[in-house]
Amino acid sequence: MTTEKRIPDPSLWSADVERIVRELAEAGRLRAHELLVIGASTSEVIGERIGTAGALEAAAAIYAGVEAARKDIAFIPAYQCCEHLNRALVVEEEAARRYGLELVHAVPIPKAGGSMAAYAYGKLSNPCLVESIQAHAGIDIGDTFIGMHLKRVAVPVRPSIRSIGEGHVTMAITRPKLIGGARAVYEPQNVLTAEQSADHCE
């Protein structure tokens, strides 16, 4: 005797996604028009192996959670496609133009692009696909691997909610590279000390 797997109320997933997006935005001081890459395996969310059982209901819940957080923060979401579209990203065309991103041509569907990317493509007002981005922060739901689309240097952020449904959650913010070696100062200072003033580089 077999029993059908029961999928929880997707609205619970939306609330959880909104919460972790807000946590990430706070940790990374994410500002309006900065890029947030989102990778999501809806198969993993519903408890199946990645790439085997995409669920548009899960995609809709994740999208709703992201949009709820965006009402206050106005970051730019970029939804990563699956490997069948070379992990291209769904963004608004205006955002692609703003950042000078290279457009590629395809229309993501659940079987080639993934349910999350396909759903986002259908919801954005003027969607397009771009080959790659260098995002300011990222969320990965279901271990889809978004690192290739993050700015250097990535810094892990531990979410208070470790999974959306059954999909494992990891998050990261980014920071500028530190340069200069032992003499370098990384925090602004109002007054130079004698030690800092001596032995100029020039």
Side-chain angles (χ1 to χ4, degrees):
M1 178 178 172
T2 60
T3 59
E4 186 176 345
K5 180 174 286 191
R6 182 176 176 273
I7 297 177
D9 179 1
S11 66
L12 301 177
W13 296 337
S14 295
D16 286 349
V17 169
E18 179 182 358
R19 179 172 171 179
I20 62 174
V21 170
R22 289 183 182 279
E23 290 175 359
L24 184 65
E26 181 178 355
R29 298 183 178 90
L30 203 61
R31 296 176 292 188
H33 306 302
E34 291 191 328
L35 293 164
L36 172 63
V37 61
I38 300 150
S41 167
T42 58
S43 297
E44 293 282 334
V45 170
I46 65 171
E48 301 293 341
R49 186 170 58 84
I50 189 169
T52 63
L56 288 174
E57 297 87 351
I62 293 167
Y63 186 90
V66 172
E67 288 301 298
R70 249 175 37 90
K71 289 178 182 176
D72 296 326
I73 306 164
F75 57 82
I76 298 171
Y79 291 91
Q80 180 179 266
C81 297
C82 73
E83 70 274 14
H84 295 101
L85 292 186
N86 295 337
R87 302 202 189 283
L89 304 114
V90 177
V91 297
E92 289 282 9
E93 188 170 339
E94 179 185 353
R97 303 295 182 195
R98 173 191 292 268
Y99 280 97
L101 303 175
E102 183 171 353
L103 274 63
V104 291
H105 184 64
V107 176
I109 60 173
K111 292 292 186 183
S115 294
M116 186 71 253
Y119 185 85
Y121 193 92
K123 295 295 287 186
L124 297 182
S125 59
N126 192 18
C128 68
L129 256 61
V130 297
E131 185 171 35
S132 64
I133 63 171
Q134 294 294 296
H136 301 88
I139 291 181
D140 190 334
I141 301 170
D143 299 323
T144 67
F145 296 107
I146 59 169
M148 64 189 288
H149 294 307
L150 287 172
K151 291 171 70 71
R152 296 169 66 186
V153 174
V155 180
V157 174
R158 296 288 178 253
S160 64
I161 298 169
R162 296 301 182 96
S163 64
I164 302 298
E166 299 297 318
H168 176 235
V169 173
T170 55
M171 309 194 305
I173 58 175
T174 61
R175 63 157 176 80
K177 300 174 188 178
L178 303 179
I179 63 169
R183 291 188 183 187
V185 174
Y186 299 111
E187 296 298 330
Q189 297 178 350
N190 294 326
V191 179
L192 289 176
T193 65
E195 181 183 63
Q196 290 170 333
S197 299
D199 299 324
H200 290 279
C201 291
E202 293 85 357

